[in-house]
Amino acid sequence: MIAMLQNARIDELCIPKSSNLAQKDILENVGEYPVYGASGFIRNVNFYHQESEYVAVVKDGAGIGRAMLLPAKSSIIGTMQYLIPKNNVDTKYLYYAIKSMNLSKYFSGATIPHIYFKDYKKELVPLYSKDKQKLISSSLEKLENIVAIRQQQLFEYDQIIKSRFVEMFGDISINSKSFDIKPFGDLCFKIGDGLHGTPLYDDKGNYYFINGNNLGNDCIKITETTKKVNEEVFKKYYVQFGENTVFLSINGTLGNVALYNDEPIILGKSAAYCNLKPSLHIKFIAELFKTNKFKEYMLSNSSGTTITNFGLKAFRNYPMIVPPMILQTQFTNFVEQIDKLKFVVQQSLNETQQLFDSLMQEYFG
């Protein structure tokens, strides 16, 4: 356990500075020095505003309160705030301290949210000697690097699957391998969506109410914040799913995919389900749903301006290629082998992330 010297306010640890740089001002500027925005790197230009490494915080718009550790000889645009560490503060330590806080709670503004340094400057940070700060930040940085490596490995495995899909099934936008094509609805026992309304929640229930934002990476994501219902509500809205059921988000965020794995769930309206007939394999369909061709079809057949909705009629009418089952099975076997490798990497990622979170809690409470 590293001994803490005292608690210090954020404004005792760093100096805030603003940027008047707009993204439109650098569109035609070319150089070697990076400029960053809320989403990360924007472009290289021929100037920089900060000589040394620093911390930046998103202060306007989406992602407010998120901290970034940015390199020397770089700049940020005006939607972000510089936090320049004082002499007794290690830059990386300041970054992790800021990252541990929920600065977004200080937001104001209805249309475009903002946060201001004057509102969160009194947040307390455990202050150790500078040598101890460097030890702490070094440990956390190593864990973050491992997390990034594992995430990259998972991404590369997914790219291998995508490449194999194209190799086996061709360009589905033009059906380059001349497979049979049928309306997707004819290839399913049923396509439906979830409850158009809000069920009666029960924190002590054993069943989960799932929407489109609970789908992704072929899995149903159940977290501590997922709403629960009791057995009576579950039976009232029960829908039969099976081992050949695939889910797709169709309202708001489009295209999240999950496979059914016996979870005790009922669906909300932003999630659709497809009970596939034997002529389609679930792993093949799950990967097809992730293709640009299918995503383009969803967007071009969606309605709504504020909230985008992909209707079930268009879903059922999608012109689905039907490769021979032997090809689909070969693809499935390949995906299952990759999934075994991904499982090991995901376990390592989860364990590393848990250790990182635990240390963040220990150091910054």
Side-chain angles (χ1 to χ4, degrees):
M1 184 68 179
I2 298 175
M4 184 181 68
L5 297 179
Q6 61 187 5
N7 280 319
R9 296 180 2 167
I10 289 179
D11 60 358
E12 295 175 316
L13 303 183
C14 63
I15 300 170
K17 292 187 178 180
S18 300
S19 170
N20 60 3
L21 195 61
Q23 191 162 341
K24 63 181 178 62
D25 297 332
I26 59 173
L27 292 180
E28 297 181 1
N29 195 307
V30 179
E32 59 180 300
Y33 304 112
V35 177
Y36 296 90
S39 299
F41 173 77
I42 298 175
R43 63 180 293 124
N44 286 327
V45 296
N46 62 6
F47 64 87
Y48 61 86
H49 288 164
Q50 294 301 323
E51 180 71 36
S52 302
E53 186 179 51
Y54 59 94
V55 177
V57 172
V58 181
K59 68 180 184 69
D60 294 313
I64 57 167
R66 188 173 71 250
M68 298 182 189
L69 178 66
L70 297 178
K73 298 185 178 179
S74 68
S75 310
I76 57 175
I77 61 173
T79 57
M80 302 185 71
Q81 172 99 61
Y82 293 108
L83 296 181
I84 310 300
K86 295 184 178 180
N87 290 335
N88 65 329
V89 180
D90 176 65
T91 308
K92 289 185 175 68
Y93 180 80
L94 176 65
Y95 160 69
Y96 289 115
I98 299 295
K99 186 173 182 176
S100 71
M101 300 172 186
N102 176 26
L103 296 186
S104 61
K105 67 187 177 186
Y106 292 101
F107 88 93
S108 60
T111 306
I112 300 177
H114 313 273
I115 58 170
Y116 298 98
F117 185 78
K118 64 181 178 61
D119 294 323
Y120 64 82
K121 68 181 182 179
K122 294 182 181 180
E123 282 269 354
L124 294 177
V125 176
L127 183 61
Y128 305 86
S129 70
K130 195 164 185 179
D131 285 343
K132 298 299 186 184
Q133 292 176 40
K134 289 181 178 180
L135 281 175
I136 290 171
S137 60
S138 177
S139 298
L140 293 171
E141 184 179 29
K142 286 182 173 67
L143 291 173
E144 270 200 324
N145 288 340
I146 295 172
V147 167
I149 290 169
R150 297 292 178 261
Q151 290 171 336
Q152 181 63 29
Q153 287 176 310
L154 292 174
F155 173 79
E156 290 173 357
Y157 281 137
D158 286 337
Q159 295 306 111
I160 291 172
I161 293 174
K162 292 180 188 298
S163 297
R164 184 64 169 163
F165 183 92
V166 173
E167 178 186 337
M168 295 186 69
F169 306 113
D171 183 351
I172 66 169
S173 65
I174 59 173
N175 190 19
S176 62
K177 298 213 171 184
S178 300
F179 297 123
D180 290 341
I181 294 181
K182 294 182 180 181
F184 184 48
D186 292 353
L187 302 166
C188 299
F189 290 114
K190 187 173 183 181
I191 296 176
D193 60 359
L195 174 64
H196 287 235
T198 303
L200 181 63
Y201 299 133
D202 184 347
D203 291 340
K204 297 181 179 179
N206 296 314
Y207 305 89
Y208 296 94
F209 183 57
I210 300 300
N211 266 302
N213 57 2
N214 295 105
L215 312 178
N217 296 324
D218 292 349
C219 298
I220 294 173
K221 302 172 183 176
I222 296 174
T223 69
E224 293 180 355
T225 61
T226 304
K227 298 296 185 182
K228 296 180 181 179
V229 297
N230 59 31
E231 186 172 5
E232 181 182 354
V233 174
F234 174 75
K235 288 181 176 179
K236 181 178 180 180
Y237 299 110
Y238 172 78
V239 174
Q240 179 69 51
F241 304 131
E243 63 180 12
N244 226 27
T245 297
V246 60
F247 301 105
L248 183 74
S249 62
I250 60 169
N251 185 270
T253 301
L254 304 182
N256 292 342
V257 180
L259 310 181
Y260 184 60
N261 192 31
D262 292 327
E263 294 90 350
I265 60 170
I266 59 174
L267 294 183
K269 69 175 182 178
S270 65
Y273 65 92
C274 320
N275 292 335
L276 305 177
K277 291 181 178 179
S279 54
L280 291 177
H281 201 292
I282 191 170
K283 294 282 189 177
F284 164 72
I285 289 300
E287 193 60 34
L288 187 143
F289 282 169
K290 301 170 194 172
T291 62
N292 290 333
K293 170 65 176 177
F294 185 76
K295 291 175 181 177
E296 290 167 3
Y297 179 84
M298 291 188 77
L299 287 173
S300 62
N301 288 275
S302 294
S303 60
T305 53
T306 305
I307 300 176
T308 308
N309 182 71
F310 177 56
L312 295 182
K313 181 178 179 181
F315 199 5
R316 296 184 181 108
N317 289 336
Y318 176 74
M320 179 66 68
I321 62 170
V322 190
M325 183 51 68
I326 188 171
L327 274 184
Q328 295 187 48
T329 301
Q330 288 173 1
F331 177 73
T332 294
N333 291 340
F334 177 80
V335 171
E336 288 176 348
Q337 292 301 312
I338 297 295
D339 282 346
K340 291 177 182 177
L341 299 174
K342 289 176 63 178
F343 178 78
V344 174
V345 175
Q346 186 67 59
Q347 276 192 315
S348 175
L349 171 60
N350 293 344
E351 291 168 0
T352 306
Q353 186 65 58
Q354 288 172 4
L355 179 56
F356 176 85
D357 294 342
S358 175
L359 288 179
M360 287 283 281
Q361 179 65 28
E362 177 183 337
Y363 294 135
F364 303 110

